[in-house]
């Protein structure tokens, strides 16, 4: 974390996070053997627990090449990646000493899979993220307390909640000791740049003792960014599977699947097209967020060609429009332009993202600045623009004229050079 704080003080996040724009989420675990929904398949009763855990015997990581992953992530334009070190099923991808449920001792993979991932990312200058689920539906002491206010007669899922009369604060304390031991292992062995928690919904922050955990993380690894699922103590918000129409005021990150599944599920062929991914990416960075785009490797460690191709396509588009992505901040508020935008750090260049073919021109509204030039980013093409209307302090409309031969097949970006730092104009009245 940036620094420790008193209650209610705004925390300072590590600057790399807001500058990164794109991260790659990797959901990899034993659930990839049978291609079932990660952890949820036994929790929801679609797969018996014993059958789910029998996937341990088929998890080989036989073709796992973290260097190839890292190279692909770099080509995609990603500045960080997040690997599921432990999902809700409790199976650790590293050689944990806290219990015996890891791929090291229980699967044919037979080795720590986190360490080479960390080394490969760091060798390429990519920030290292590790996902860790607070919940552990395999741990014998996990389902021993329930959140405040839950009726014992409505137990809920037996993997997460105790039956009436089976509550035990002592066993819950044992679980928290296990939880803290694993978090310490991740921090001390791997020194991650980002710790991505999940599963916070099943207990109250006081039960997780999140304030205490936040202090421990800050002491053990003060440079580590922590997501908002360390409730009340995270560095940024984590909306999921949909761009917020009103983006959070704080730092944030959208986690999104390439298809509809987090982990490998062979029947899920609904991969989003490169155009859709570029559109979502533009909407996200235009609102000041990062996109954490998820892929699900097979049990042997290989990525689906369909997913790798989409990362490549996204990276190629970013490469043509680098200036509108890196080194920018969130763009215009809604209403000034019908699409996303970003703004250069000095606030003197405005980047407009065009998803659709314009009907002769696009329009910028409510900008007092004069536009010195308008060009199609990624080309040497300057386009005609004109200011129409306006009165005194009230700016008119800036019309930017385009033809079809100016357009990028995925998303066109216009770079507008302003005569000074962006100066916006909002409501006015003669009442």
């Amino acid at each position: 974390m940036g620094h420790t704080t008193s209650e209610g003080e705004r925390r300072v996040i590590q600057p790399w996070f807001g500058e990164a724009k794109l991260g790659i989420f990797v959901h990899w675990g034993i659930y990839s053997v049978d291609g079932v929904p990660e952890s949820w398949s036994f929790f929801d009763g679609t797969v018996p627990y014993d059958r789910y855990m029998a996937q341990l015997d088929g998890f080989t990581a036989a073709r796992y090449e973290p260097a190839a992953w890292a190279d692909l992530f770099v080509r995609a334009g990603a500045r960080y990646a997040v690997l599921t070190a432990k999902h809700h099923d409790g199976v650790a991808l590293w050689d944990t000493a806290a219990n015996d449920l890891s791929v090291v001792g229980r699967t044919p993979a037979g080795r720590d899979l986190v360490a080479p991932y960390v080394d490969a990312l760091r060798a390429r200058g990519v920030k290292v993220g590790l996902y860790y689920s607070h919940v552990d539906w395999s741990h014998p002491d996990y389902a021993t307390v329930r959140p405040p206010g839950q009726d014992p007669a409505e137990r809920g899922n037996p993997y997460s909640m105790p039956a009436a009369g089976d509550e035990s604060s002592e066993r819950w304390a044992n679980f928290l000791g296990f939880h803290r031991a694993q978090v310490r292992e991740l921090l001390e062995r791997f020194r991650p740049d980002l710790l991505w928690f999940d599963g916070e919904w099943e207990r109250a922050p006081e039960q997780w003792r999140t304030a205490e955990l936040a202090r421990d993380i800050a002491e053990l690894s003060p440079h580590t960014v922590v997501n908002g699922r360390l409730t009340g103590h995270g560095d940024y918000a984590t909306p999921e599977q949909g761009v917020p129409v009103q983006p959070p005021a704080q730092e944030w990150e959208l986690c999104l699947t390439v298809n509809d599944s987090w982990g490998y599920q062979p029947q899920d062929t609904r991969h989003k097209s490169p155009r859709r991914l570029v559109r979502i990416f533009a909407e996200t960075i235009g609102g000041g967020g990062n996109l954490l785009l998820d892929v699900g490797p097979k049990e042997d460690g290989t990525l689906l060609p369909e997913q790798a191709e989409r990362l490549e396509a996204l990276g190629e588009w970013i490469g043509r429009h680098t200036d509108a992505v890196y080194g920018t901040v969130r763009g215009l508020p809604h209403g000034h332009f019908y699409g996303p935008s970003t703004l250069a750090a000095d606030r003197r260049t405005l980047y407009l993202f065009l998803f659709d073919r314009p009907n002769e021109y696009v329009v910028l509204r409510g900008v007092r600045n004069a536009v010195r030039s308008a060009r199609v980013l990624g080309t040497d093409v300057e386009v005609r623009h004109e200011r129409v209307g306006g009165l005194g302090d009230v700016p008119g409309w800036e019309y930017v004229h385009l033809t079809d031969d100016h357009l990028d097949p995925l998303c066109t970006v216009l770079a507008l050079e302003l005569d000074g730092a962006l100066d916006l104009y909002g409501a006015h009245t003669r009442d």
Side-chain angles (χ1 to χ4, degrees):
M1 301 177 192
H3 66 280
T4 56
T5 63
S6 59
E7 189 68 28
E9 183 185 346
R10 182 73 174 91
R11 294 147 55 86
V12 178
I13 195 169
Q14 293 287 334
W16 71 260
F17 181 81
E19 297 165 358
K21 307 303 181 186
L22 179 65
I24 305 300
F25 213 173
V26 184
H27 272 69
W28 191 34
I30 65 168
Y31 39 85
S32 60
V33 174
D34 293 341
V36 296
E38 60 292 332
S39 303
W40 294 99
S41 50
F42 75 80
F43 186 85
D44 293 339
T46 56
V47 175
Y49 179 79
D50 289 347
R51 186 191 306 168
Y52 180 92
M53 296 306 289
Q55 293 176 104
L56 288 163
D57 297 332
F59 187 77
T60 68
R63 299 172 64 192
Y64 174 40
E65 295 183 18
W69 284 12
D71 287 339
L72 174 61
F73 300 165
V74 169
R75 293 196 300 275
R79 299 291 176 86
Y80 67 107
V82 178
L83 173 65
T84 50
K86 191 207 77 170
H87 207 268
H88 315 322
D89 58 13
V91 180
L93 297 190
W94 78 99
D95 191 11
T96 180
N99 68 358
D100 66 352
L101 187 51
S102 78
V103 299
V104 180
R106 298 282 297 276
T107 76
R111 65 193 188 279
D112 187 320
L113 302 176
V114 174
Y117 154 86
V118 171
D119 291 343
L121 293 187
R122 292 218 161 106
R124 290 153 181 81
V126 178
K127 297 294 185 182
V128 172
L130 296 175
Y131 167 110
Y132 181 81
S133 176
H134 293 301
V135 308
D136 191 321
W137 294 328
S138 292
H139 197 283
D141 292 326
Y142 179 70
T144 53
V145 296
R146 58 176 53 85
Q150 186 190 64
D151 184 352
E154 298 177 2
R155 176 183 182 183
N157 196 292
Y159 293 107
S160 62
M161 301 297 165
D166 287 346
E167 301 88 351
S168 173
S169 58
E170 293 80 8
R171 291 179 63 193
W172 177 250
N174 289 339
F175 173 76
L176 285 184
F178 158 80
H179 177 282
R180 298 306 194 264
Q182 288 200 321
V183 171
R184 281 195 301 273
E185 287 178 342
L186 293 176
L187 293 173
E188 292 175 346
R189 294 187 196 180
F190 307 118
R191 297 292 176 186
D193 300 289
L194 171 61
L195 195 53
W196 211 101
F197 285 116
D198 199 9
E200 81 292 348
W201 66 84
E202 285 204 332
R203 302 286 186 268
E206 296 75 21
Q207 292 173 304
W208 292 122
R209 303 206 313 250
T210 55
E212 172 192 279
L213 179 55
R215 288 192 297 270
D216 290 346
I217 296 169
E219 290 173 5
L220 284 170
S221 189
H223 76 284
T224 298
V225 175
V226 181
N227 74 338
R229 300 182 188 191
L230 186 63
T231 309
H233 299 275
D235 294 318
Y236 67 91
T238 55
E240 190 169 324
Q241 295 286 57
V243 178
V245 175
Q246 293 293 336
Q250 70 192 98
E251 292 86 356
W252 62 281
E253 168 196 79
L254 171 68
C255 45
L256 178 85
T257 51
V258 170
N259 52 3
D260 291 336
S261 308
W262 296 103
Y264 169 66
Q265 294 187 42
Q267 80 286 354
D268 182 359
T269 58
R270 287 169 48 89
H271 295 91
K272 298 173 182 67
S273 68
R275 181 178 288 116
R276 288 183 179 178
L277 291 174
V278 166
R279 184 175 190 135
I280 294 167
F281 178 62
E283 291 173 346
T284 301
I285 64 173
N290 289 350
L291 177 63
L292 185 61
L293 185 60
D294 177 76
V295 294
K298 298 168 127 179
E299 63 80 20
D300 64 1
T302 56
L303 292 170
L304 290 177
E306 298 91 336
Q307 297 190 346
E309 288 164 5
R310 280 153 177 81
L311 296 190
E312 298 271 12
L314 178 57
E316 289 171 4
W317 181 88
I318 290 174
R320 296 194 297 272
H321 303 92
T322 300
D323 290 348
V325 176
Y326 307 119
T328 64
V329 297
R330 69 177 67 202
L332 298 166
H334 291 301
H336 289 277
F337 175 70
Y338 294 134
S341 61
T342 57
L343 187 62
D346 65 3
R347 305 184 65 82
R348 299 174 70 93
T349 305
L350 184 61
Y351 301 100
L352 306 180
F353 296 82
L354 282 61
F355 298 138
D356 306 311
R357 177 181 289 110
N359 187 1
E360 185 181 352
Y361 50 73
V362 296
V363 182
L364 180 66
R365 304 167 62 238
V367 173
R368 287 195 179 101
N369 306 81
V371 176
R372 288 180 168 173
S373 68
R375 59 191 170 87
V376 180
L377 198 61
T379 75
D380 295 325
V381 175
E382 290 219 10
V383 293
R384 184 168 65 89
H385 61 97
E386 59 181 331
R387 182 65 58 98
V388 176
L391 177 65
D393 193 43
V394 180
W397 297 262
E398 188 79 21
Y399 288 82
V400 184
H401 296 261
L402 292 167
T403 61
D404 283 355
D405 57 1
H406 296 148
L407 304 181
D408 186 281
L410 298 183
C411 173
T412 305
V413 182
L414 292 175
L416 272 55
E417 302 293 337
L418 308 178
D419 66 351
L422 179 67
D423 184 10
L424 294 180
Y425 184 84
H428 70 277
T429 179
R430 294 289 293 272
D431 292 350

